[in-house]
């Protein structure tokens, strides 16, 4: 566990930059905010391999002594409230964040193991995209593919609206519909 009081800390600068898509893509990281989401994700063992940091505000430092946070103390950063404000795009932060690596997925390699795939085309509202991801998980879809023109699925607003589903269903990106259509036909999917 490490206490950080300076916004000039390299880890804090990196985490704060993840509010922008270009840095999420460059670093291959994203942020999940909220206590409930963090607990849900930390309880899933396979996600812990993608965990970079658990970030807690000073007000929530006691959580580091509780399950499931206790198991990740070596990756925990305790942050002063000023730093927490620089890291979030919400008006009132819950003071609990996870920084996760994006999973490395290749749709063409994985398609054979899926029977139901949801395709998002031109979904520009982050709240809608997150809700659709959450609904796809509840409706037992195996994966979600976002076409070019759809909001970044690791956008903080999408992640919040997905309410933890973002780590439970594989997310893919495809450049255009003809390429995806070719893959679907090649693997005998019904559209």
């Amino acid at each position: 566990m490490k206490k950080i009081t300076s916004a000039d800390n390299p880890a804090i600068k990196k985490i704060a930059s993840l509010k922008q898509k270009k840095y999420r893509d460059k670093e291959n990281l994203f942020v999940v905010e909220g206590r409930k989401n963090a607990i849900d994700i930390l309880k899933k063992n396979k996600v812990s391999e993608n965990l970079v940091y658990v970030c807690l505000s000073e007000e929530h430092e006691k959580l580091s002594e509780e399950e499931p946070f206790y198991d990740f103390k070596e990756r925990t950063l305790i942050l002063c409230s000023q730093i927490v404000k620089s890291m979030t795009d919400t008006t009132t932060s819950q003071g609990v964040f996870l920084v996760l690596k994006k999973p490395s997925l290749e749709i063409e390699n994985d398609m054979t193991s899926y029977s139901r795939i949801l395709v998002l085309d031109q979904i520009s509202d982050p709240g809608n995209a997150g809700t659709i991801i959450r609904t796809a998980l509840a409706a037992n879809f195996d994966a979600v593919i976002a076409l070019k023109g759809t909001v970044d699925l690791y956008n903080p607003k999408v992640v919040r609206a997905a309410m933890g589903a973002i780590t439970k269903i594989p997310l893919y990106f495809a450049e255009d519909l003809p390429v995806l259509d070719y893959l679907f036909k090649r693997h005998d999917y019904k559209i």
Side-chain angles (χ1 to χ4, degrees):
M1 197 162 63
K2 183 177 179 182
K3 278 197 177 201
I4 298 179
T5 57
S6 171
D8 291 330
N9 180 290
I12 298 307
K13 285 183 174 183
K14 182 187 283 190
I15 295 167
S17 75
L18 298 177
K19 290 189 276 187
Q20 297 178 41
K21 181 185 181 330
K22 69 179 179 179
Y23 293 110
R24 288 191 298 273
D25 290 346
K26 178 183 174 192
E27 300 293 340
N28 205 34
L29 300 172
F30 69 103
V31 175
V32 175
E33 186 176 355
R35 183 178 179 161
K36 186 177 182 307
N37 286 338
I39 289 170
D40 187 40
I41 290 168
L42 293 176
K43 283 183 176 179
K44 281 182 62 185
N45 289 334
K46 76 175 193 175
V47 174
S48 68
E49 66 196 29
N50 292 333
L51 178 69
V52 179
Y53 297 116
V54 174
C55 300
L56 302 173
S57 66
E58 290 172 319
E59 297 81 18
H60 293 89
E61 185 174 353
K62 290 179 189 173
L63 286 176
S64 66
E65 300 300 324
E66 298 176 14
E67 288 293 332
F69 296 96
Y70 182 81
D71 296 331
F72 302 97
K73 280 182 104 167
E74 73 282 352
R75 295 187 240 178
T76 299
L77 304 176
I78 305 300
L79 312 173
C80 69
S81 58
Q82 200 62 14
I83 292 174
V84 171
K85 287 178 186 174
S86 74
M87 293 174 56
T88 183
D89 64 346
T90 59
T91 311
T92 309
S93 172
Q94 292 185 25
V96 179
F97 304 88
L98 300 180
V99 179
L100 299 167
K101 294 177 196 168
K102 293 180 186 177
S104 299
L105 303 170
E106 291 292 329
I107 187 63
E108 190 161 4
N109 297 335
D110 300 339
M111 273 184 107
T112 56
S113 59
Y114 302 140
S115 60
R116 298 179 71 209
I117 298 173
L118 180 68
V119 178
L120 304 181
D121 186 13
Q122 302 292 318
I123 306 296
S124 59
D125 182 87
N128 288 347
T131 301
I132 292 169
I133 292 168
R134 195 173 73 231
T135 304
L137 179 67
N140 292 319
F141 278 81
D142 299 311
V144 175
I145 301 174
L147 292 174
K148 188 175 181 177
T150 295
V151 66
D152 176 27
L153 300 184
Y154 292 102
N155 173 307
K157 291 178 183 175
V158 174
V159 173
R160 272 195 307 278
M163 299 173 77
I166 205 101
T167 61
K168 297 176 184 172
I169 189 168
L171 305 175
Y172 297 90
F173 300 91
E175 279 300 309
D176 58 24
L177 194 53
V179 170
L180 193 57
D181 187 45
Y182 167 77
L183 285 175
F184 282 147
K185 287 178 181 171
R186 188 168 154 212
H187 293 286
D188 295 324
Y189 277 89
K190 291 180 183 174
I191 300 172

